[in-house]
Structures are given as C-alpha cells and as structure tokens.
Amino acid sequence: MNVPALEATGLGAAYRKKPVLDGIDLAVHRGELTVLIGPNGSGKTTLLKTLGGLLPQSSGEIRLDGRKLNEYSRRERAARLAYLFQESGVPWSFTVEEYIAQGRFFRQGWFGGENAADKQAVRHAIEAAGLDGFVRRPVNEHSGGEYQRVLIARAVAQEAPCLLLDEPAANLDLGYRYRIMELLVSLAKEQGRAVLASLHELGLARLYADKIIVLCKGRIAARGSPEQTLTDGVLKTVFELPEAVRVEFLTRG
Ligand code: ADP
C-alpha cells in the first residue's frame, strides 16, 4: 500500500487548553499538491504548525513516512519535512543566497560544510523562485513579495520530500502568484514531493490543487477534488459568500 508522506489521525491542538483543532484525519501523498482552505481563524496555520512539529498536539497521532513524528530527531525531520510560515522574522544581514543556503544547513548540521549537491540545490531553488537577479542583496532589503519568494526558495533548497507552506501566494503580485503555484505543482508532479499548502484564494485552489481540505472551526468540513469541495454548499456555509459571488465563482470556469 502507498504509505502517505504525512498522515494525521484524530489530531487535536489547543492554545492554553482552548481547543482549536479537533479530530483531524488527513493524508498527504507524494506527487500531489494538497491545498488547505478555510475562513480566517479556522485553524489552517495551527494545523500546519502542528503537522510540522512546531506546536504540540493535544490528541491524536502524526506520522511522517509511516513513523511517528516525535520519534524523529530534529535533523532527521529536517531532511524529510520543510515548511514555510508567514511570520518567520526577516533575518538581519544575510544575503539572499546565504539565507537560502541555510535551508541546507538544517540537513547537514552547522559544521557539515557545503558540497556540490548543496550548491546545486541552492542554484535550482534560486532559479525556480525567480531570484537570479537578487542573490547578493541582503534579505531584509526586499519587499514583501520578494521576501516571500526567498522563503519559498529556502524551503525548496532543503529538498525535503514533504513540504508544508502557509499562504505561499500571500503578498505576491498576480504573475508571481501563478508562478509560485506552478512551482508547487512541479515540485509535486516532476519531483514527486508531497506538498500541503494553505491558500486563501479559492480560485487558485481550484486551478492548481489535486486535493482540497476545507477547514471550518477547527474541523474538516469537506475534502476531495476541487469539484467535490468547492461546492455551492461549502461556499455558502463555510465561507458565507453571498449568492451573487457564489454564482460568479461556480459559473466562471
Ligand atoms: P487560520 O490560519 O485559519 O486563520 P489559526 O490557526 O491562525 O487560523 O487560528 C485558529 C484559532 O486559534 C483562532 O481562533 C485563533 O484566534 C486562535 N489562535 C491562533 N494563534 C493563537 C495563539 N498563539 N494563542 C491563542 N490562540 C490562538
């Protein structure tokens, strides 16, 4: 049987004992782009952080490549799981290239030294994120959209088979939003990675997702293909979209 790259069963999470996620069952497979959608506050960031081991779970189980997440060392986990979160602070004086290369240090340990494979992975990630012209500039001199691309490149350079991305298309102008989505598709389809990304634009989710998971108030409200999940009922009850907007969305494409 095809073991999911990442699997959660009965997963719960809480902030200071206030439950935020409850009974989450999901599986993220290699070769697929799975998109997490849901209104603000539905628990998307909390779910991604919990799956990445950055927040403790209050119940349930997470498995990475069939093995419990908490049985991996930090280094073992970094070789298999990369993530991009919104609030990662802007580091001070690193150049774009140095910062992206740090995605590799997590794999090697700080004293592992950079080898040819590391250099190639960094170069590919820079090209894929369209950052060729920016490599020598300090990261903190970049605009929000450029910084977002730096974060994506860093996660790509890590070459982990499983990628978690929180709103990777946020702060990007239209062209780059599509370019980043196409990059995520190619990471899944051409490189066989398992990609789980939260998005707030339903149109992007419909266009690019293999599977969609709809979160509502900390629970899964729907899951399946874009056609199965982006239904009038979900748009109405989960996203509370007015009828005219639902009709526009459902008839446009
Ligand atoms: P989303 O990413 O879908 O907007 P979040 O995972 O950020 O949702 O938030 C889910 C719920 O958890 C919200 O009710 C939010 O207010 C609450 N929450 C998020 N972060 C914290 C925190 N650090 N402490 C307490 N509550 C939090």
Side-chain angles (χ1 to χ4, degrees):
M1 211 185 72
N2 180 8
V3 177
L6 189 64
E7 188 175 25
T9 41
L11 188 65
Y15 291 106
R16 280 178 238 100
K17 299 204 173 142
K18 181 183 157 243
V20 174
L21 296 176
D22 187 31
I24 303 283
D25 294 327
L26 62 82
V28 184
H29 291 272
R30 284 175 193 73
E32 287 183 354
L33 170 59
T34 305
V35 170
L36 192 57
I37 58 172
N40 285 343
S42 57
K44 301 181 294 296
T45 297
T46 306
L47 177 55
L48 289 168
K49 284 189 170 169
T50 310
L51 290 172
L54 277 92
L55 278 179
Q57 62 209 72
S58 55
S59 58
E61 195 172 270
I62 301 168
R63 286 181 180 267
L64 181 62
D65 284 330
R67 189 173 149 205
K68 281 190 190 172
L69 188 67
N70 55 16
E71 289 174 1
Y72 288 92
S73 70
R74 199 163 161 262
R75 285 261 300 280
E76 284 175 328
R77 193 192 292 176
R80 289 172 179 80
L81 188 66
Y83 41 74
L84 176 160
F85 291 109
Q86 287 308 315
E87 72 273 19
S88 327
V90 179
W92 353 277
S93 58
F94 295 116
T95 66
V96 165
E97 191 168 30
E98 286 164 349
Y99 187 60
I100 293 169
Q102 286 171 20
R104 305 292 299 175
F105 294 163
F106 283 114
R107 293 173 66 97
Q108 310 151 339
W110 287 91
F111 304 105
E114 202 185 28
N115 61 27
D118 294 325
K119 289 198 174 108
Q120 197 183 31
V122 170
R123 183 104 308 273
H124 279 159
I126 287 168
E127 277 168 26
L131 289 165
D132 307 71
F134 302 99
V135 286
R136 309 253 173 267
R137 281 217 339 233
V139 175
N140 55 4
E141 287 179 14
H142 286 263
S143 69
E146 286 160 1
Y147 180 56
Q148 187 73 4
R149 279 152 51 203
V150 173
L151 290 181
I152 289 171
R154 191 174 192 258
V156 168
Q158 204 174 324
E159 289 190 321
C162 186
L163 264 171
L164 305 177
L165 305 107
D166 194 5
E167 302 270 4
N171 305 319
L172 296 176
D173 60 31
L174 200 57
Y176 268 108
R177 252 180 278 167
Y178 289 101
R179 200 163 156 184
I180 290 300
M181 291 311 297
E182 278 167 16
L183 170 61
L184 299 188
V185 169
S186 85
L187 292 172
K189 302 281 171 237
E190 285 158 35
Q191 299 186 13
R193 302 200 210 191
V195 185
L196 176 63
S198 67
L199 291 178
H200 71 260
E201 266 181 82
L202 303 184
L204 282 186
R206 173 167 64 185
L207 199 54
Y208 290 105
D210 293 303
K211 287 184 188 151
I212 291 179
I213 296 170
V214 185
L215 265 192
C216 183
K217 296 179 184 149
R219 290 172 169 272
I220 293 181
R223 77 176 84 223
S225 66
E227 296 72 33
Q228 287 165 328
T229 49
L230 293 170
T231 59
D232 188 58
V234 165
L235 298 181
K236 183 175 176 187
T237 56
V238 176
F239 291 94
E240 299 179 0
L241 296 182
E243 188 177 0
V245 178
R246 303 199 306 270
V247 169
E248 223 272 311
F249 183 85
L250 293 167
T251 52
R252 187 168 34 106

